[in-house]
Amino acid sequence: MPERAIGIFDSGVGGLTVLRELRSQIPDEPLVYLGDTARVPYGTKSSSTVLRYAHEAARFLLDQRVKFLVVACNTASAVALNGLAERYQVPVIGVIEPGARRALEVTRNGRIGVIGTEGTIRSGAYERALLAGRSDVVVHAAACPLFVPLAEEGWACHEVARLAAHAYLAPLLQKKIDTLVLGCTHYPLLKQMLQEVVGPDVRLVDSAQATAKAVASRLGEYRLLCQTTPAPLPRYFVTDIPDRFKRVGGAFLGKELHGVETVSLD
Ligand code: DGL
């Protein structure tokens, strides 16, 4: 079992921010990544649709005999995590709990901002996770749908991205948040610009980093850490032609993507 791969899925390239963190925190682990590029984005779709997509993605990865599932998509974690964890035999982790836990560790004034896709914010999943950890925090959430295409366009520091950030974040800053959870896989790419917009007194919480840390600790707990080194290169699967995934994903990963295969989830 420990020699098997960790399965990671997202609607597209975004989950590569989680894969990148996993490779840096647990470099010996074999990884299999699925990007459901034929059906991206998930963030604008209904919960029932995302739920169905998430089960299909999980089943595909389980067919690859993975030992552990990482739902590297905030929208899918928000609506599907509990169902996936109940249905399948392998441990399942999403990005919301680790991000929420980290936010509770760093906040000083208990006012926490959360940004994400429409689906994630509508679900209230971050709010529930934060309040479950500490009932006296105040959560202010905002959907920032333009950030996903801006990150994919490589416009992280473009003036357009900065204007959008000012417009989205002004109401949260008025509430005097001291912590901002980046509740979408794409947002770590905008981190530098977002930090400039919110100023040095607001701590940004990157769910990708927090999730990789949580995966490492759960693997240890379940005695699933891989002992064989070096790990093979990650395997990548997508549900549409790989060209865009390779091009945009390379920027997300900070290196070229090789060996991307197209598959069908039917
Ligand atoms: N991966 C999604 C998330 O983290 C963002 C992209 C999408 O909407 O599918 O919510």
Side-chain angles (χ1 to χ4, degrees), residues 71-198:
V71 185
C73 172
N74 287 263
T75 313
S77 298
V79 302
L81 191 72
N82 293 343
L84 294 172
E86 274 164 27
R87 179 161 322 170
Y88 304 112
Q89 301 294 324
V90 299
V92 185
I93 206 167
V95 285
I96 289 184
E97 253 222 57
R101 209 170 323 124
R102 180 70 191 138
L104 293 174
E105 277 164 18
V106 301
T107 185
R108 289 145 298 169
N109 71 4
R111 293 165 187 261
I112 300 174
V114 177
I115 53 175
T117 64
E118 287 168 74
T120 299
I121 299 306
R122 191 178 54 229
S123 75
Y126 268 105
E127 200 158 358
R128 280 194 298 281
L130 287 162
L131 290 170
R134 217 181 108 180
S135 58
D136 64 332
V137 293
V138 183
V139 184
H140 298 284
C144 305
L146 287 176
F147 284 169
V148 167
L150 286 166
E152 293 204 1
E153 198 59 30
W155 282 18
C157 290
H158 194 285
E159 199 49 30
V160 171
R162 209 171 284 276
L163 284 172
H166 277 289
Y168 285 139
L169 299 176
L172 303 188
L173 293 173
Q174 271 164 17
K175 302 285 183 192
K176 305 262 178 276
I177 58 161
D178 75 347
T179 303
L180 180 65
V181 181
L182 308 183
C184 173
T185 49
H186 285 60
Y187 298 177
L189 270 90
L190 308 174
K191 219 173 186 175
Q192 188 194 327
M193 178 275 293
L194 290 172
Q195 189 69 71
E196 284 164 18
V197 169
V198 296

